[in-house]
């Protein structure tokens, strides 16, 4: 192929577009894998924190019962229980924030995947439209002009060809035979 031909450049642009599509597909797959890993990690954290929260709540209840029976240490136990309850609340708030963050991340990731998909679709449509336009407006007229030029060239060759040499003697049949 010659770099001066439009087909060469159409082939190069098609290859570049194909590589871009492959890169976009790899990026989409990578985003999906990362989102899946984040969701699994948060789920594992949640399952680990649930028993801890239940144990902390149980300890808080037991601390309150002991404080009723022992008035002398009730002030200390009440403070400890309050701290445990606050810690439980903080843990609950952190878990809730993690859940909300994971939910928002999943929604954002889904939106981005949809946006990338729309971009790929739009790019594909534009490539198809451009290819059809180039075929209709450049390649087909170029073929027609090339055919016309080839016809004109042959016509000029025939028109300006040297006159054939006259035969000035007669040949025998044996002389004409090649063998």
């Amino acid at each position: 192929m010659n770099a001066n031909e439009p087909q060469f450049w159409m082939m190069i642009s098609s290859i570049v577009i194909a590589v871009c599509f492959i890169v976009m597909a790899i990026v989409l797959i990578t985003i999906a894998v990362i989102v899946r890993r984040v969701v699994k990690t948060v789920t594992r954290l949640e399952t680990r924190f649930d028993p801890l929260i239940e144990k902390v709540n149980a300890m808080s209840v037991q601390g309150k019962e002991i404080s009723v029976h022992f008035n002398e240490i009730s002030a200390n136990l009440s403070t400890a229980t309050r701290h445990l309850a606050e810690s439980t609340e903080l843990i609950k708030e952190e878990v809730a924030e993690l859940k909300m963050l994971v939910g928002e991340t999943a929604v954002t990731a889904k939106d981005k995947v949809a946006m990338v998909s729309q971009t790929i679709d739009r790019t594909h449509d534009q490539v198809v439209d451009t290819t059809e336009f180039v075929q209709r407006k450049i390649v087909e007229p170029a073929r027609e002009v090339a055919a016309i030029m080839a016809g004109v060239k042959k016509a000029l060759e025939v028109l300006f060809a040297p006159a054939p040499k006259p035969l000035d003697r007669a040949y025998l049949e044996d002389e004409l035979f090649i063998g």
Side-chain angles (χ1 to χ4, degrees):
M1 283 224 166
N2 187 0
N4 294 330
E5 294 179 345
Q7 291 172 342
F8 174 78
W9 293 108
M10 285 178 53
M11 181 182 71
I12 295 297
S13 65
S14 297
I15 290 171
V16 169
I17 290 169
V19 168
C20 290
F21 278 123
I22 290 170
V23 169
M24 286 189 276
I26 290 170
V27 168
L28 284 174
I29 290 170
T30 304
I31 289 172
V33 168
I34 290 171
V35 167
R36 185 183 311 150
R37 286 182 183 170
V38 168
V39 169
K40 285 181 181 179
T41 302
V42 170
T43 304
R44 283 195 310 262
L45 283 174
E46 183 178 331
T47 57
R48 289 182 182 174
F49 278 131
D50 284 342
L52 180 64
I53 290 172
E54 290 175 10
K55 288 179 182 179
V56 171
N57 283 338
M59 289 172 56
S60 173
V61 169
Q62 288 176 354
K64 287 180 183 177
E65 290 175 0
I66 291 174
S67 70
V68 170
H69 295 300
F70 302 102
N71 287 333
E72 295 127 19
I73 54 173
S74 66
N76 293 337
L77 287 178
S78 136
T79 304
T81 304
R82 191 171 357 121
H83 289 303
L84 285 174
E86 289 173 359
S87 297
T88 303
E89 287 301 318
L90 288 174
I91 291 172
K92 285 181 181 178
E93 290 173 5
E94 290 298 321
V95 169
E97 287 178 12
L98 280 174
K99 284 182 183 179
M100 186 175 16
L101 179 64
V102 168
E104 291 173 357
T105 303
V107 168
T108 303
K110 286 178 185 176
D111 292 343
K112 295 301 179 187
V113 167
M115 183 177 69
V116 170
S117 177
Q118 289 173 352
T119 303
I120 289 172
D121 291 343
R122 190 172 357 115
T123 303
H124 177 262
D125 292 342
Q126 289 174 348
V127 167
V128 168
D129 291 345
T130 302
T131 303
E132 289 175 358
F133 178 81
V134 167
Q135 183 70 26
R136 238 183 10 258
K137 299 294 183 181
I138 296 173
V139 174
E140 290 175 3
R143 281 188 195 145
E144 291 175 8
V145 168
I148 291 170
M149 293 304 294
V152 168
K153 180 180 175 186
K154 275 296 181 191
L156 290 175
E157 286 176 2
V158 169
L159 185 63
F160 294 114
K165 295 181 182 178
L167 295 176
D168 55 352
R169 71 179 188 126
Y171 294 99
L172 296 176
E173 266 186 48
D174 290 340
E175 290 178 347
L176 294 175
F177 178 72
I178 300 172

